[in-house]
Amino acid sequence: MQTVTLIPGDGIGPEITNAVTTILEKAGAQIEWDVQTAGTDVIEAEGSPLPDRVIESIKKNKVALKAPVTTPIGKGFRSVNVALRKSLDLYSNLRPCKNIEGIKTRYDNVDLVIVRENTEDLYAGIERQVDEDTAESIKIITRKASIRIAEFAFDYAVKNNRKLVTVVTKANICKLSDGLFLNCAREVAQKYPQIQFKEILVDNLCMQLVQNPEQFDVLVLPNLYGDIVSDLCAGLVGGLGVAQGANIGLNAAVFEPVHGSAPDIKGQNKANPTALLLSAIEMLKYIEQRDIAEKIEKALFKTIKDGKSLTCDLGGKSTTTEFMNAIIENL
Ligand code: NAI
């Protein structure tokens, strides 16, 4: 039995969390949830959308499943998501993108994984106004962060039976910064002779992804290119409702959907729990409960392929509960 921090979030968070934890329980996942509330609902009582107890719980349990949390606008609170990544040093953003039969897209065989560096690059936020008409933003790339993200990508490839890692840069232009990132990836690649290694420039990658995305397997990118390319790839496989993600560091991992708290459909039993369920499946693989993960994955894909119990965003008429029950029946 493994203890995992569960953050049900706000907006549609609690509804999709309920569906996902019910499915995991029925599938026989060996998990004890340490439930930690966060977001707008706890601000009044605790003075912050991310109380310290949430961070402490993740530090203790090392793994968390997180539903979306609203970032209040104009009230001076930092985004819960950015705060979590910073305080736990979750240096790797992992986004698997795979076609799901039954969800209509332009391609049939996309099955790739984005590994995005999560801590530096232009996201370091070091900017200054040089004069009235000139602004400057500094791109930081370090050897330490580049080596550890490349190692993460190759380790992921080995553990998940992937064959190819492609490093993505603009090293022909940013010769020092992207050049360093590229050289670190080359160095790490030498330690993994069983994995094929390729290099590509980010502009060429974007064209290739739109024309022939099936050729890619694991992509490793600096922060900014990773951000942009991962949204492009979410679009290739069906968009927000099915886009999962994870933020992983040396001492903790937080699995979460890409979408937000969807306040427009909150409390209506309409939300699609697929992205959170896919995040939970990836979490089960991470904690070595792979058989259960694969069982749920099969049931989810069968339910979507059948097409009889889909939620509105996928063109169906079913409620969150009906979709959940169909998955449970298919387990
Ligand atoms: P959103 O992703 O919540 O919603 C965009 C649109 O997609 C809405 O029409 C919504 O109904 C729909 N949608 C999203 N998830 C869905 C699902 N599972 N099933 C069916 N429809 C779904 O983006 P928005 O409106 O920009 O953000 C709302 C709040 O969420 C904001 O406060 C934002 O800061 C927060 N947010 C939180 C994230 C997180 O906790 N990781 C990530 C992104 C946004």
Side-chain angles (χ1 to χ4, degrees):
M1 190 67 80
Q2 171 130 9
T3 308
V4 173
T5 301
L6 179 66
I7 304 171
D10 54 33
I12 58 168
E15 302 162 50
I16 56 176
T17 300
N18 177 52
V20 167
T21 52
T22 307
I23 293 165
L24 261 63
E25 191 195 326
K26 300 280 183 201
Q30 297 295 302
I31 291 178
E32 195 170 303
W33 299 110
D34 174 4
V35 180
Q36 295 288 334
T37 49
T40 45
D41 301 345
V42 306
I43 293 178
E44 202 171 312
E46 302 186 59
S48 158
L50 183 66
D52 287 346
R53 61 174 167 74
V54 183
I55 304 277
E56 290 311 315
S57 162
I58 302 174
K59 279 188 180 156
K60 187 174 76 190
N61 299 322
K62 302 192 186 316
V63 186
L65 180 65
K66 178 184 160 296
V69 171
T70 306
T71 301
I73 296 172
K75 292 194 190 151
F77 293 110
R78 273 204 303 174
S79 151
V80 168
N81 308 302
V82 175
L84 266 183
R85 283 170 210 169
K86 286 213 161 145
S87 41
L88 296 165
D89 192 22
L90 304 172
Y91 66 87
S92 170
N93 185 254
L94 184 70
R95 287 232 200 141
C97 294
K98 189 175 175 179
N99 273 127
I100 300 177
E101 220 182 324
I103 299 180
K104 205 171 156 356
T105 62
R106 287 165 196 266
Y107 302 98
D108 295 327
N109 293 312
V110 179
D111 181 9
L112 58 84
V113 178
I114 310 260
V115 176
R116 165 186 168 195
E117 203 289 321
N118 225 0
T119 63
E120 54 184 32
D121 194 350
L122 285 165
Y123 284 71
I126 305 170
E127 292 197 303
R128 74 183 180 111
Q129 198 74 40
V130 179
D131 60 39
E132 210 178 308
D133 298 321
T134 315
E136 185 179 78
S137 184
I138 298 181
K139 171 168 166 141
I140 305 280
I141 300 283
T142 66
R143 180 174 167 78
K144 181 182 167 212
S146 306
I147 291 278
R148 71 179 180 175
I149 197 68
E151 281 175 346
F152 182 94
F154 278 93
D155 278 346
Y156 182 91
V158 171
K159 284 192 189 134
N160 293 277
N161 282 323
R162 297 274 175 173
K163 306 275 176 284
L164 164 70
V165 172
T166 305
V167 62
V168 184
T169 64
K170 189 76 185 167
N172 56 334
I173 302 297
C174 299
K175 291 185 195 298
L176 295 182
S177 52
D178 282 9
L180 176 59
F181 191 89
L182 174 60
N183 281 333
C184 290
R186 285 176 177 159
E187 198 178 310
V188 171
Q190 306 250 318
K191 291 194 281 178
Y192 295 83
Q194 72 274 44
I195 304 288
Q196 199 193 345
F197 175 62
K198 282 191 181 169
E199 306 172 4
I200 192 166
L201 297 176
V202 66
D203 40 353
N204 183 16
L205 172 79
C206 289
M207 186 196 67
Q208 303 273 347
L209 277 170
V210 170
Q211 287 196 323
N212 179 16
E214 294 96 341
Q215 66 182 297
F216 295 105
D217 194 350
V218 177
L219 298 171
V220 59
L221 313 90
N223 207 341
L224 182 63
Y225 310 143
D227 185 17
I228 297 165
V229 170
S230 49
D231 273 28
L232 190 163
C233 290
L236 292 176
V237 295
L240 272 189
V242 297
Q244 55 169 316
N247 293 290
I248 301 179
L250 286 181
N251 300 310
V254 177
F255 294 81
E256 62 178 344
V258 171
H259 66 71
S261 55
D264 52 334
I265 54 166
K266 173 189 173 178
Q268 297 173 30
N269 203 13
K270 269 187 183 171
N272 182 357
T274 298
L276 184 64
L277 185 57
L278 286 168
S279 307
I281 289 169
E282 200 64 32
M283 180 200 76
L284 285 166
K285 292 179 185 167
Y286 180 83
I287 60 173
E288 306 290 345
Q289 297 192 23
R290 198 167 273 275
D291 292 354
I292 307 284
E294 281 164 8
K295 183 167 149 188
I296 299 172
E297 202 166 40
K298 269 194 201 137
L300 168 67
F301 292 163
K302 181 171 186 324
T303 308
I304 293 176
K305 189 178 166 195
D306 288 350
K308 287 180 292 207
S309 312
L310 301 181
T311 46
C312 306
D313 60 302
L314 294 181
K317 291 198 176 97
S318 297
T319 61
T320 311
T321 315
E322 285 161 350
F323 182 60
M324 171 191 83
N325 285 335
I327 296 171
I328 291 169
E329 223 157 85
N330 283 327
L331 277 172

